[in-house]
Amino acid sequence: MGIGRLGAATLMLLVAGSAAAQEPAPMAGPPAGQDAIFWYPAPSRCTYFTPEAKAAFRFDDPGTWRFAFLVMRETKAENPVERGYVMVDGVLRELEKVRSGADGAQANVTVWRSAGEPRVNVNMTVRETGHTAEATELEGTMTLIRGGGRTEIAVEGNCIG
């Protein structure tokens, strides 16, 4: 004799509820680094791809909208605030900008950090490779940092405005 549909549904809810109530285990080691953000349409100021994802990107194909990093700007504020977004170990993380400026090689370095735990920092080091009336083309590296672990990823992208 089986437990029936109602019993099976109750059992599934209990299992799901107990799994959801558990705190996630802190991640150790470097972030995975191959995670991509699927965001269509991405209302971003800056979009960064891995070189492979940029080669596959087609504006009219939502399935190709896979980003390594996004920057969005709060436009209604008197002093607009930028937020960064990165996917780390399957979790979309919102980041705040800590500082930005040129390094010794004249590349632009922007340091981002997450607000929550486990703490994730992202260093974007990019150089301008082209410029149009609408956008600035960039390429460089994104370094994901968690604890003592680091993962560096090549990125290509653009920023508007």
Side-chain angles (χ1 to χ4, degrees), residues 57-130:
F57 178 74
R58 301 291 173 263
F59 187 81
D60 58 349
D61 181 359
T64 66
W65 287 54
R66 307 285 178 182
F67 307 102
F69 192 77
L70 295 171
V71 176
M72 303 207 188
R73 180 181 284 164
E74 167 65 46
T75 57
K76 295 180 182 177
E78 185 177 316
N79 296 315
V81 174
E82 290 185 331
R83 296 282 181 212
Y85 293 88
V86 67
M87 184 76 73
V88 179
D89 300 325
V91 177
L92 182 65
R93 302 295 302 267
E94 183 179 67
L95 306 156
E96 61 184 352
K97 187 189 289 188
V98 177
R99 64 183 170 275
S100 187
D103 67 3
Q106 297 306 307
N108 185 50
V109 179
T110 304
V111 177
W112 300 85
R113 72 172 173 218
S114 66
E117 295 296 331
R119 177 78 63 198
V120 174
N121 290 347
V122 175
N123 295 347
M124 296 294 291
T125 304
V126 296
R127 292 182 177 281
E128 185 176 321
T129 59

Side-chain angles (χ1 to χ4, degrees), residues 12-47:
M12 292 297 287
L13 286 173
L14 287 172
V15 170
S18 66
Q22 297 174 357
E23 289 293 318
M27 299 288 188
Q34 72 273 5
D35 290 339
I37 302 169
F38 172 70
W39 198 323
Y40 176 83
S44 59
R45 188 179 86 72
C46 299
T47 57

